[in-house]
Amino acid sequence: MANFSELDRYLFGQATHYEIYRKLGAHPTDEYGIRGVCFDLWAPNAARVWVIGSFNGWDEGANEMKRLEPETMGIFELFIPGVEEGDLYKYLIETKDGKRLYKADPYANYAELRPGTASAVADIEHFKWSDAEWMKERATHKEDVYEQPLAIYEVHPGSWMRHPGRQDDGFYSYRDLAKSLIPYVTEMGYSHIELMGICEYPYDGSWGYQVTGYYAPTSRYGTPEDFAYFVNECHRHKIGVILDWVPAHFPKDAHGLAEFDGSCLYEYADPRKGEHPDWGTKIFDYGKNEVKNFLIGSALLWVEHYHVDGLRVDAVASMLYLDYGKEAGQWVPNQYGDNKNLEAIEFFKHINTLVLGRNPGAVMIAEESTAWPKVTGPVEDDGLNFSYKWNMGWMHDFLDYMKLDPYFRRDNHHKMTFAMSYNESEKYILVLSHDEVVHLKCSMINKMPGLGIDKFRNLMAGYAFMMGHPGKKLLFMGQEFAQLREWSEERELDWFLLDNPDHKHIQNWVKKLLHIYRKNPALYELDSSWGGFEWINANDADRSIYSFIRKSKDGKNQLLFVCSFTPVARPDYRVGVPAKKTYKLILDSDSEEFGGCSRQRPQSYKAVEAECDGRPYSIAYPLEPYGVAVFRY
């Protein structure tokens, strides 16, 4: 009896087999009372296929697969008795022109630790989940997901922290991370962890962005069950999990997807559509149903089987534009003569609607770096239906401004206000990601002008502005304590820096900002609406001071932010306020816990009838160099 039924073949051919990960690949099963593994492979252009592995001594003729009807579908199947979990295997594919290819299983649930490239048999069905409360709570936020706090800690697991003195890489396992990363994230106040490089990949230096195993958690940190344990523990501690996911391209490694069965099976056949010249990678064929089903099945595996709370989709722009990274003659226009990839557009509409419709409260996040319209718009309005878009425009303007000597900031004041002019166009996440602290771009602290403590005070003001600005938040690991060196995947973060008070103070600052963010709905309920934000003074360029209000839906507990970006003290500073109320100081950058002078100052400020910033009422507050003050009223 075939494991891959006629119905399976039909659904796969329509790109609607949403549990394809339970059919293709290697699955432990019983056949006529005999325990073994059933192998199923899609390779329509192969002449013959064998399963070779540790269980048959890698004998290339021992286990030939049978081609199922209809032959044109190209499904090969074989049950091998006695094969056990953990056994290594590959497919030996004989092409129609007589070549022999040794391929890893595209649907494998586990893989040999690199530099090995074999797939490994894994039974992923027996983990006992205990996160029902989290999953139920997540589903209740289907309608108001945008009104929830989202503060993401972006983590590369292999370099967050390592075991010292070990002969191997010293990587923390998924279970080690559950013991150490979860408490850290909880204490700091993040709501979610975003993990880089979980889908299996061969080359450490790609950070996981050149994937060969779209259905396998990387074996660098443990087994599939270990990964499930990590997600389950995150949920038990009220932390969400987001994975980087890369449907834009894949590497040309001999054991991978490229020219899988001797033909361009997963990639576009025309190299002008099927290759990224800059990256040296292949581009998926989004017009082929079986390829779309491969990617859809991968997304659903992570969200539905492994319970992850969202996918951050990498390099979306490279999928949307046929000429992305290409010169004239290196790309082919679509049927209308322009540069839009119509098949990729439909793919996004399909997969986002599907994943979000089947999994209430989950999120799909686009790393999209252009002005493509309606990335987070509904399909009914010709949008792509992502939940959020990374705000790359805000990030570039913010970093351009923060790098400037304070003397020149007055002429660039608009860089920090411009993002509000388009804030309502999408649902945004403000990001300071790994991409900003590599390839000679400097760490965040070393982007800052000045010397010594001025760098830290600059960065503190920048983080406060980011936390107050509309949009969800993402910080890459190490930025919260002002890592000095650029990030490298080859070593752990420089945790020893926390012995230095300046680094400890900035970590305390980020922690305080995150907890204020999580506790105050004014900072996250109305992120995409002018109803949640109001400038007090957006035009104080001469003093490089920004003042604004964040508002909650119910009108209670509004927040007033004042951020100064020069080293000049303003002892006579006065700020206009919207009402004659008492303003409680809830964050003061001059506090001792953040390395300030901790001068005695009132905690409450009553508005007086004194015009300022075009308002009839105001409060006076002595603003320190690079001073930040946040008031609740």
Side-chain angles (χ1 to χ4, degrees):
M1 180 180 175
N3 170 60
F4 207 81
S5 69
E6 187 176 341
L7 177 61
D8 292 324
R9 278 166 269 177
Y10 172 77
L11 293 175
F12 184 53
Q14 299 298 308
T16 56
H17 201 314
Y18 301 144
E19 293 191 344
I20 191 67
Y21 58 88
R22 289 197 162 100
K23 291 294 183 172
L24 290 176
H27 298 283
T29 187
D30 291 305
E31 193 164 298
Y32 304 111
I34 300 173
R35 191 69 177 163
V37 169
C38 190
F39 296 87
D40 286 88
L41 177 70
W42 177 57
N45 297 297
R48 301 171 72 184
V49 182
W50 293 264
V51 184
I52 57 175
S54 56
F55 45 83
N56 63 13
W58 303 93
D59 183 340
E60 297 188 357
N63 296 111
E64 184 170 0
M65 302 183 80
K66 178 184 176 184
R67 192 176 194 125
L68 302 182
E69 295 292 338
E71 289 194 5
T72 53
M73 184 75 195
I75 301 294
F76 289 81
E77 185 172 278
L78 181 66
F79 174 78
I80 306 179
V83 178
E84 298 178 346
E85 193 168 2
D87 283 346
L88 301 179
Y89 70 99
K90 278 189 178 181
Y91 295 114
L92 169 56
I93 297 173
E94 184 179 288
T95 67
K96 290 176 179 177
D97 59 359
K99 293 178 184 174
R100 293 165 77 84
L101 308 174
Y102 299 83
K103 293 288 188 177
D105 186 350
Y107 287 85
N109 294 126
Y110 193 42
E112 182 182 16
L113 180 63
R114 55 92 180 97
T117 58
S119 300
V121 175
D123 186 348
I124 64 171
E125 300 293 347
H126 52 68
F127 182 78
K128 298 294 188 287
W129 292 90
S130 58
D131 63 347
E133 182 180 346
W134 171 272
M135 298 298 282
K136 181 180 178 182
E137 175 72 14
R138 188 181 84 183
T140 64
H141 291 307
K142 177 184 179 182
E143 302 303 328
D144 68 345
V145 65
Y146 299 112
E147 297 175 8
Q148 304 304 312
L150 184 61
I152 302 167
Y153 189 53
E154 187 190 24
V155 174
H156 178 266
S159 58
W160 181 71
M161 198 173 278
R162 291 190 178 184
H163 295 289
R166 290 232 306 235
Q167 294 301 308
D168 59 11
D169 295 292
F171 291 146
Y172 271 32
S173 69
Y174 295 118
R175 292 178 185 263
D176 290 333
L177 290 165
K179 292 176 185 175
S180 53
L181 178 58
I182 293 173
Y184 180 76
V185 166
T186 302
E187 180 187 356
M188 287 297 295
Y190 294 97
S191 66
H192 288 68
I193 297 168
E194 180 179 314
L195 295 174
M196 296 167 55
I198 294 301
C199 294
E200 190 60 84
Y201 59 103
Y203 175 50
D204 287 11
S206 79
W207 312 329
Y209 292 110
Q210 294 196 9
V211 177
T212 51
Y214 280 81
Y215 288 73
T218 178
S219 56
R220 288 166 175 80
Y221 318 123
T223 65
E225 185 167 315
D226 293 335
F227 176 72
Y229 174 85
F230 173 79
V231 176
N232 191 65
E233 287 300 295
C234 283
H235 288 172
R236 293 202 319 111
H237 290 85
K238 310 299 183 189
I239 299 293
V241 179
I242 297 167
L243 298 190
D244 276 5
W245 188 63
V246 191
H249 63 128
F250 57 89
K252 297 179 181 178
D253 295 67
H255 70 286
L257 299 176
E259 299 177 7
F260 186 79
D261 59 0
S263 70
C264 291
L265 187 62
Y266 285 89
E267 65 269 40
Y268 286 111
D270 187 334
R272 294 174 298 172
K273 285 188 76 175
E275 297 207 15
H276 273 302
D278 285 352
W279 299 344
T281 54
K282 296 283 191 178
I283 300 171
F284 283 105
D285 182 346
Y286 307 108
K288 192 179 292 182
N289 279 347
E290 295 87 350
V291 173
K292 286 190 286 188
N293 206 147
F294 171 78
L295 292 170
I296 289 166
S298 169
L300 291 175
L301 168 83
W302 298 112
V303 175
E304 296 182 355
H305 180 81
Y306 284 112
H307 293 200
V308 305
D309 303 288
L311 301 175
R312 176 267 193 185
V313 183
D314 184 65
V316 167
S318 75
M319 298 170 65
L320 294 173
Y321 296 96
L322 293 165
D323 59 348
Y324 185 92
K326 297 179 180 180
E327 305 292 336
Q330 292 182 323
W331 64 283
V332 185
N334 65 26
Q335 67 195 66
Y336 303 112
D338 66 29
N339 65 344
K340 295 176 181 177
N341 188 328
L342 303 177
E343 294 159 343
I345 293 167
E346 289 308 307
F347 170 74
F348 281 134
K349 292 177 179 180
H350 182 178
I351 194 169
N352 289 333
T353 303
L354 179 70
V355 171
L356 300 178
R358 285 170 60 102
N359 300 279
V363 294
M364 296 290 284
I365 302 167
E367 188 229 1
E368 203 286 313
S369 54
T370 74
W372 188 281
K374 302 177 186 175
V375 171
T376 58
V379 170
E380 297 79 9
D381 193 26
D382 201 30
L384 299 182
N385 206 38
F386 279 96
S387 310
Y388 294 104
K389 171 179 172 171
W390 273 23
N391 196 336
M392 310 294 273
W394 173 88
M395 180 270 294
H396 286 298
D397 286 344
F398 174 82
L399 292 180
D400 285 348
Y401 180 87
M402 294 303 300
K403 291 173 187 175
L404 290 170
D405 184 290
Y407 179 82
F408 297 106
R409 287 177 175 167
R410 69 180 69 185
D411 299 320
N412 291 269
H413 195 76
H414 63 282
K415 287 187 180 293
M416 297 287 265
T417 61
F418 179 61
M420 283 309 300
S421 70
Y422 59 83
N423 185 63
E424 288 186 303
S425 65
E426 302 278 7
K427 297 176 178 71
Y428 285 114
I429 299 179
L430 308 184
V431 295
L432 295 174
S433 75
H434 67 275
D435 278 327
E436 312 322 315
V437 292
V438 292
H439 301 323
L440 304 179
K441 293 179 188 173
C442 295
S443 63
M444 283 301 299
I445 188 69
N446 281 324
K447 294 183 200 294
M448 300 300 110
L451 299 171
I453 196 63
D454 274 3
K455 285 184 173 291
F456 288 89
R457 308 311 281 184
N458 258 298
L459 190 54
M460 285 171 60
Y463 284 160
F465 183 87
M466 175 188 184
M467 206 60 67
H469 194 286
K472 309 307 183 188
K473 322 298 176 189
L474 179 144
L475 271 180
F476 181 55
M477 63 182 199
Q479 296 180 10
E480 75 277 13
F481 62 80
Q483 167 98 5
L484 290 173
R485 293 190 288 179
E486 283 193 335
W487 170 65
S488 168
E489 82 282 354
E490 296 180 349
R491 58 176 183 259
E492 73 168 14
L493 297 179
D494 293 335
W495 293 102
F496 60 83
L497 291 173
L498 287 170
D499 294 335
N500 179 309
D502 291 336
H503 293 273
K504 186 64 180 175
H505 290 149
I506 202 164
Q507 185 191 46
N508 290 343
W509 178 251
V510 172
K511 179 179 174 181
K512 183 72 171 180
L513 286 169
L514 287 165
H515 282 277
I516 288 174
Y517 171 76
R518 296 283 299 276
K519 289 176 183 175
N520 289 276
L523 291 176
Y524 55 76
E525 279 187 339
L526 296 170
D527 271 323
S528 301
S529 165
W530 276 103
F533 181 88
E534 182 180 348
W535 287 112
I536 293 292
N537 193 336
N539 301 308
D540 195 353
D542 285 342
R543 296 189 297 180
S544 298
I545 297 174
Y546 300 86
S547 51
F548 56 86
I549 295 166
R550 292 302 307 275
K551 304 174 184 179
S552 59
K553 284 177 69 177
D554 62 11
K556 300 176 181 177
N557 292 327
Q558 320 282 45
L559 298 182
L560 166 64
F561 277 72
V562 178
C563 301
S564 172
F565 288 93
T566 67
V568 180
R570 310 284 181 186
D572 57 349
Y573 180 72
R574 181 171 290 275
V575 60
V577 293
K580 191 177 182 180
K581 296 189 177 287
T582 298
Y583 293 77
K584 182 182 178 184
L585 183 64
I586 64 168
L587 182 65
D588 173 16
S589 59
D590 197 40
S591 295
E592 190 174 358
E593 63 180 311
F594 313 127
C597 297
S598 196
R599 295 177 179 85
Q600 289 297 317
R601 65 181 71 205
Q603 295 303 295
S604 296
Y605 296 80
K606 192 161 186 174
V608 297
E609 202 164 337
E611 192 279 333
C612 185
D613 296 321
R615 296 169 185 267
Y617 302 106
S618 61
I619 60 174
Y621 174 84
L623 202 56
E624 298 301 318
Y626 302 114
V628 173
V630 180
F631 302 88
R632 184 190 290 125
Y633 68 97

